[in-house]
Amino acid sequence: MTKIACVIVTFNRKALLAEALESVLTQREPPEYVFVIDNASTDGTEAAVRQQFDFDGQRLTYVRCDQNLGGSAGFATGIRLALRTDCD
């Protein structure tokens, strides 16, 4: 079976991030790992999603960047992390 890692990049979209996480995690075959890369949100994104989802487990990883370098830098960060896993 193929192992999948998912990267989600966000910036000030806590409601949409929660919706995306819920969707990804409830798929029939959810990914082995989900990396959330927060591009320095200022709207309480981190607190909101940490309250709703378990980021202490092995499956979910939350990374808050010091500044918003844009989506490309966020995805590059997430892909670097995903490549360190045993996913395909």
Side-chain angles (χ1 to χ4, degrees):
M1 176 182 260
T2 303
K3 288 186 174 184
I4 302 294
C6 174
V7 175
I8 301 173
V9 178
T10 190
F11 175 70
N12 287 343
R13 299 280 189 263
K14 61 185 171 188
L16 290 175
L17 175 59
E19 185 179 321
L21 282 168
E22 188 67 35
S23 179
V24 165
L25 295 172
T26 59
Q27 293 181 102
R28 186 171 39 132
E29 294 183 32
E32 295 292 318
Y33 303 95
V34 178
F35 296 95
V36 174
I37 311 301
D38 183 343
N39 266 333
S41 292
T42 58
D43 67 345
T45 294
E46 183 172 9
V49 297
R50 283 192 184 275
Q51 182 178 359
Q52 187 173 351
F53 299 95
D54 178 16
F55 283 91
D56 293 329
Q58 292 289 343
R59 182 187 226 173
L60 292 173
T61 301
Y62 192 96
V63 176
R64 186 175 187 335
C65 300
D66 293 333
Q67 58 184 324
N68 184 354
L69 297 177
S72 295
F75 279 109
T77 299
I79 294 297
R80 272 194 301 277
L81 292 170
L83 287 172
R84 294 180 186 163
T85 71
D86 60 347
C87 288
D88 299 309

